[in-house]
Amino acid sequence: MDFVLSGAAACGACLFTNPLEVVKTRMQLQGELKAPGSYQVHYRNVFHAFYTIGRVDGLAGLQKGLVPGLLYQFCMNGFRLGSFAIIESAGYIHSEDGRVIPGKSIAAGAIAGVIGAVMGSPVYLGMVHALVRIKKQHGILGLWRGSSAAVPRVTVGSATQLYSFTAAKEFVRDLQIFPSESWLVALTAGMVSSVVVVVAMTPFDVVSTRLYNQPVDSRGQGLLYRGFVDCFMKTVRKESMLGLYKGIGASYFRLGPHTILSLLFWNELRKFYCQHRLHS
C-alpha cells in the first residue's frame, strides 16, 4: 500500500506540472554544446517558452507526454517514496525521542532514490511500443540508456528532498504555527523542500536530459556524450558552469510545484490511510 499511495500522490502532482516539464526540457536542450551567444534563442524565459510552445504546438503541446509521464511518476516515485515510507515506518530515521536523525534520513532518501531511478529508468524512455523498439534495436540494456545520469540525479534529489521535508515538518511542528496534524505543516515543509531540491538537482537534471535525448549509433552508443562525467565536463567547457543551471527558472516552476504537491498528497494520503485502517 505504501507503493500505491506514493505512486498515486506523484500522479496527482504530475497532472498539474506536466506542462512545466515540457517547458523545462525544451529550455534545457536549447543551445546544447554551443557557446553562449552563438545560437538562436527560441525561449527567452519560462513565460516566453509557455507562450511560444502554446502558439506553435497548441495547448495540447503543453501536455505532450502526459500518459508516459503519469506512468513514470507512478513507477519511479511509487518505488522511491514507498521505499522511504517503509524505512521511516520501521523507525530507522528517528531517534528514541522521535527526532529526525539527519545522517540516517539523508541515507534513507538516497537509497530510496537509487531504487526509484533504477525501476523508473526504462519507463522514462517511453511507452510500450517505444520500449519494444528500443529493446529490438539496442538489446535489453538499451532500456537503461541514460540511467548513469538518472541514478545520481534521483539519488541526490531524493536525499535532499526527503531529508529537508522531514526536517522542515519537524521544525514547523516545533514552532506550533499550525496544529501538529494540519495539512499546512506538510504544505510548508514541501515549500522549503522545493527550493532545496531544485538547487541540488538542476545540474544533474540538465545532464540527464541531454543524455536521454542525445542521438545514438547503431550499437546504441551516444554520439555526443560517453556518459555522465563526459556530459558534465563538456557542458562546463562549452557553456561554463551556468550551462549546468540552464533552465533553472523552468526547473523550479516544474520541480517546485511538483515537489510541494507530491509531498503534500503523499503525506495526506498516508495519514488518511492510517486513520481509515485504525477505524476499520
Side-chain angles (χ1 to χ4, degrees), residues 35-167:
S38 66
Y39 58 90
Q40 181 181 358
V41 177
H42 297 285
Y43 313 115
R44 294 192 297 270
N45 52 53
V46 175
F47 303 104
H48 183 250
F50 261 108
Y51 169 76
T52 303
I53 295 170
R55 179 172 57 82
V56 175
D57 298 335
L59 293 178
L62 291 169
Q63 280 290 12
K64 281 185 178 178
L66 177 61
V67 174
L70 291 171
L71 181 59
Y72 172 70
Q73 288 296 327
F74 187 85
C75 182
M76 192 277 282
N77 275 314
F79 279 100
R80 185 177 71 87
L81 296 177
S83 299
F84 186 83
I86 291 173
I87 296 172
E88 183 181 33
S89 298
Y92 289 115
I93 69 169
H94 292 97
S95 61
E96 292 182 359
D97 60 356
R99 308 295 291 182
V100 175
I101 304 173
K104 289 187 176 181
S105 180
I106 292 171
I111 292 169
V114 171
I115 294 171
V118 172
M119 299 304 296
S121 187
V123 182
Y124 192 73
L125 289 176
M127 292 295 283
V128 176
H129 65 282
L131 297 178
V132 172
R133 187 171 68 251
I134 292 168
K135 180 181 180 298
K136 184 179 297 184
Q137 292 179 351
H138 307 301
I140 191 69
L141 294 180
L143 297 176
W144 274 269
R145 180 170 63 85
S147 62
S148 62
V151 171
R153 168 184 174 269
V154 178
T155 300
V156 170
S158 183
T160 55
Q161 183 197 66
L162 292 173
Y163 167 65
S164 60
F165 179 64
T166 52

